[in-house]
Amino acid sequence: MKKFVFLLSIFLLCFTLSACSSENTTSEEKETKNAENEDTSIETNDVQSVDNTQKVFNFSLEEFAQAYNKVAQDFENDEEMESPDLNRIIIDDIGDFKLAEVKDGTVYTRELINETDDSGGTFNLEAWYDDNQNFNCLHLTTFGSDNMASEKGTFNTYAVFQALGIDIKHLSDLLESDEESLDVIDGDYSVHLAKIPGMSLIINIEPK
């Protein structure tokens, strides 16, 4: 767990330094940076309600995959982050819908990434769909052999958050607390985080 918290601290530090340096840029440079950020984050207005009881993402799986893959590439190209090689979401390799039982009933799932590293840690990312096969949840699980997430699991989780524009600090808030779960609203997303101390992290991201 200490290793996982340390990696999260590095992420937060990188963004703090980036924010400080950006104050000295010109207005034109800030506009350019904002334009670049739009390429790696799905717009906050990309989530809407279908009706009063059901909400779905207002972006396709292909659009999410493109945003995630770009963030993963940026991580690997950033020498200061020292990111391991991360798997990409390959649309053509995603399998068919599978019906699965979850706490609140059943969902249709499609596996996007299932990655294991040399230490035995794993990261799994699934797209969840309702009975009408509307894309309405991203489900992440991480497991580490000596803590709650492997190094790759940490970077993969952060890449998902970054692609959606969700604050990674929510993870450190959970890990540093005595609570086993945390529910937050971040922009247009409802994020549920849960931990099994010393074993794994489970995260669900849904439209608000």
Side-chain angles (χ1 to χ4, degrees):
M1 177 174 174
K2 291 182 178 179
K3 181 179 180 182
F4 189 38
V5 174
F6 175 73
L7 287 172
L8 286 175
S9 300
I10 296 249
F11 289 143
L12 293 171
L13 178 60
C14 286
F15 276 91
T16 300
L17 293 175
S18 175
C20 292
S21 63
S22 65
E23 294 178 357
N24 297 323
T25 62
T26 64
S27 176
E28 180 179 353
E29 289 171 334
K30 289 181 180 179
E31 291 177 359
T32 300
K33 184 174 179 61
N34 288 337
E36 292 174 349
N37 287 340
E38 290 178 358
D39 290 335
T40 59
S41 288
I42 297 173
E43 296 292 341
T44 56
N45 62 359
D46 278 345
V47 178
Q48 67 178 12
S49 173
V50 173
D51 54 41
N52 292 332
T53 60
Q54 183 182 27
K55 298 179 181 179
V56 301
F57 292 123
N58 193 28
F59 53 82
S60 67
L61 181 60
E62 289 78 6
E63 290 171 323
F64 169 73
Q66 183 179 16
Y68 171 88
N69 290 344
K70 188 177 189 310
V71 171
Q73 185 65 54
D74 290 343
F75 283 3
E76 292 175 1
N77 291 340
D78 189 338
E79 295 182 358
E80 294 184 356
M81 295 194 72
E82 298 182 352
S83 170
D85 291 336
L86 303 177
N87 283 356
R88 304 295 192 265
I89 299 174
I90 310 299
I91 293 297
D92 292 341
D93 293 343
I94 298 174
D96 295 332
F97 293 97
K98 294 182 179 180
L99 188 62
E101 293 187 4
V102 295
K103 179 180 179 182
D104 298 324
T106 58
V107 297
Y108 287 92
T109 70
R110 299 181 75 188
E111 188 175 78
L112 308 183
I113 296 176
N114 189 351
E115 186 169 12
T116 302
D117 62 24
D118 295 337
S119 68
T122 62
F123 171 80
N124 183 265
L125 173 63
E126 294 179 340
W128 283 10
Y129 299 77
D130 62 18
D131 289 339
N132 296 318
Q133 296 185 350
N134 294 310
F135 181 25
N136 65 355
C137 180
L138 285 164
H139 177 72
L140 301 79
T141 58
T142 69
F143 170 82
S145 58
D146 58 354
N147 52 52
M148 287 181 286
S150 65
E151 182 181 24
K152 281 193 175 184
T154 303
F155 277 91
N156 277 310
T157 300
Y158 182 50
V160 172
F161 275 46
Q162 180 72 359
L164 297 173
I166 297 174
D167 193 346
I168 192 66
K169 187 176 181 295
H170 301 312
L171 270 179
S172 59
D173 289 342
L174 173 64
L175 294 175
E176 293 171 2
S177 75
D178 294 329
E179 302 296 327
E180 293 187 355
S181 65
L182 176 67
D183 291 287
V184 297
I185 299 297
D186 191 316
D188 288 328
Y189 302 100
S190 173
V191 185
H192 175 75
L193 308 97
K195 64 182 178 182
I196 302 175
M199 292 182 60
S200 64
L201 288 170
I202 303 169
I203 303 170
N204 280 0
I205 302 171
E206 301 174 329
K208 181 173 67 176

